[in-house]
Amino acid sequence: MSRTTRPRAALAALSCCVAVGCGTGTAPQGDRPSPPSSAPAAAGHGVVTWASSAGHIGGEATDGRGYRLMVHTSVGGSGLRVRLTNAFGDEPVTFDNVHAGLQRDGAALVPGSNRRLTFGGARSVTVPAGGIVYSDPLPGHVPAGRTLAVSLYVPRAGGTLTGHWMAMQTSYTTDGDHTAEEGAANWKQRDGSWFYLDAVTVRPRKGTGAVAALGDSITDGWHSTIDRNRRWPDYLARRLGTSGTEVKGVANAGIAGNKVLLDGPGESALNRVQRDALSLPGVRTVFLFQGVNDIKAEPGATSAGLIAGYRRLIDRAHAAGKCVVGATIAPYKGWQEWDPAGEAVRQRVNAFIRDSGEFDGVTDFDRVLRSPNDPERMLPAFDGGDHLHPNDKGMQAMADAVELRSLDCGTGQAVSRTPWAPG
């Protein structure tokens, strides 16, 4: 956890934008794009430094609640902005007295770092059902690799909560408005979800880009260590931070249980790719690592159906001027839903990912994670215990397997389509 830094943010009052109609339905196997223009325009020339994928988090929104949400930056820069979402709400939500600071420990912040954010110059903003809003930028520098605390007070809310259920990060809630307080005295209630906040952007060095990891519970970090930022996209962000590539920002667009083709836990990848990846400022490449939930469902997807879904995602990303890196589906024999028929689908789909040439780059997670003694199983040293989700060591091995140059493909560089893995 972060402990110290120089507080360098200050209040700003510039422009903001609310985007309505981000898509909340549940049409199966559809391509239901959200409006592509409003969100990127709202963030100007920024680059996403943190993101999560919002959905119906469960429960009812409550008046008079405060949320102190802990998120980890991937790229540093000035002009911090937050994106607040009511995309899955069915009633308006009012945000008041929103602050951003740096975590010291627990709910306590680095003294002097907590600063109020504004929205069109105002301290309060109401977001309609289905909408999102970007804050005005804060001047000053936000470091990379630090835990940022975004504190929200919601005086008026109702209906369905929008948020991200499985954060793998402890945040804090309270009754009443304590957002300006840097101490932890009034932030006693812990929570493992993120509420309303789904992106943070900064303005880094010119030419800097980002990658959005579109995935399921493995990308979401299940079985990695809570509060230690050991999801594979976190390890990837640390690699990018010390590399010579221009891609530095990493957006984690993983949702536990998520599928490519069908809505379920969260909208399908086809139905959420616009909001969760393509609309994020500075995203140059979409890293697609999904499919196991489609395969192990009952009835499971066919290889032809899943490949057709990949092709639609590739087409959507290319139409938006983004590149797509595909990752092979990892082994999961030993998981309760594994069977030989699903394994055959996985093998055919992985052959397409490796050999079709339709992706702009390929990372072979199957090769990295599988056991040499039984290639249908995960290597025991990487197994988080359920034979589907890698542990911290497996998460790091996945991040180490990503060819960093493939994430720069949006710059016009030639990209190798050869699958790459260490060893």
Side-chain angles (χ1 to χ4, degrees), residues 7 25 52 87 113 120 170 225 238 285 304 337 361 384:
S52 72
S113 70
T170 302
T225 303
R238 289 189 277 274
T285 299
E337 294 167 301

Side-chain angles (χ1 to χ4, degrees), residues 12 52 61 63 67 77 93 96 116 178 206 209 228 231 248 257 304 306 310 334 342 358-359 371 402 415:
S52 72
D63 290 352
Y67 303 90
V93 176
D96 188 29
R116 181 184 290 139
H178 302 282
K206 185 178 179 180
R228 298 299 296 274
R231 313 164 192 85
K248 301 293 184 185
L306 193 48
Y310 288 159
E358 297 192 32
F359 289 94
S371 169
V402 177
V415 177

Side-chain angles (χ1 to χ4, degrees), residues 368-403:
V368 170
L369 294 174
R370 69 193 183 202
S371 169
N373 299 319
D374 185 352
E376 297 173 351
R377 289 183 180 270
M378 191 181 301
L379 188 71
F382 292 160
D383 193 340
D386 63 8
H387 313 299
L388 173 64
H389 300 93
N391 56 21
D392 291 352
K393 184 181 291 187
M395 294 283 183
Q396 182 167 10
M398 293 170 67
D400 289 346
V402 177
E403 172 50 65

